[in-house]
Amino acid sequence: MRVRVDPIRHIASEGSVTVIDLGTGQVLKEILTGLHASALAVAPGERHVVVANAASDYLSVIATATDTVVEKIWMKEKPSDLFGASPNALAFDAQGKTLFVLQRNP
């Protein structure tokens, strides 16, 4: 696995989710998400996977049919907040209509 690093600050500059064929172990695709992809939740029906990007303060929604990010959901209450939201755990309710997100308290 390659870690992409910012050439000036020398810290990770992006995160990713890797799609792997479980039968063969072959890497099928790397999907770029936000920094510190710390949790995944598969939506009921398996049409989407949500990724919590703790160091980027947003969620990435991946469509499983295309393995592409189709939406980014901002987690900070307002962009001017000094501290990040740091989403780091996810779970759908039993009906799949509500996504619970654990984040750092402001």
Side-chain angles (χ1 to χ4, degrees):
M1 178 170 78
R2 180 186 307 165
V3 176
R4 292 171 185 86
V5 176
D6 179 294
I8 295 170
R9 297 179 297 158
H10 305 290
I11 60 173
S13 61
E14 60 190 25
S16 65
V17 171
T18 303
V19 180
I20 299 172
D21 181 318
L22 296 179
T24 66
Q26 179 182 5
V27 173
L28 302 177
K29 187 170 187 177
E30 181 181 20
I31 305 166
L32 297 181
T33 62
L35 290 175
H36 195 114
S38 58
L40 299 173
V42 179
E46 300 180 356
R47 292 181 50 208
H48 295 96
V49 172
V50 181
V51 183
N53 303 298
S56 292
D57 298 324
Y58 64 81
L59 308 178
S60 298
V61 181
I62 298 171
T64 57
T66 60
D67 290 334
T68 58
V69 175
V70 294
E71 185 175 1
K72 290 182 180 179
I73 302 169
W74 185 249
M75 295 303 299
K76 279 187 176 182
E77 204 168 307
K78 52 189 185 271
S80 62
D81 287 346
L82 292 177
F83 298 104
S86 300
N88 56 40
L90 304 168
F92 280 95
D93 72 344
Q95 291 76 33
K97 295 181 186 262
T98 302
L99 175 65
F100 297 98
V101 180
L102 178 66
Q103 61 186 31
R104 184 194 66 76
N105 290 330

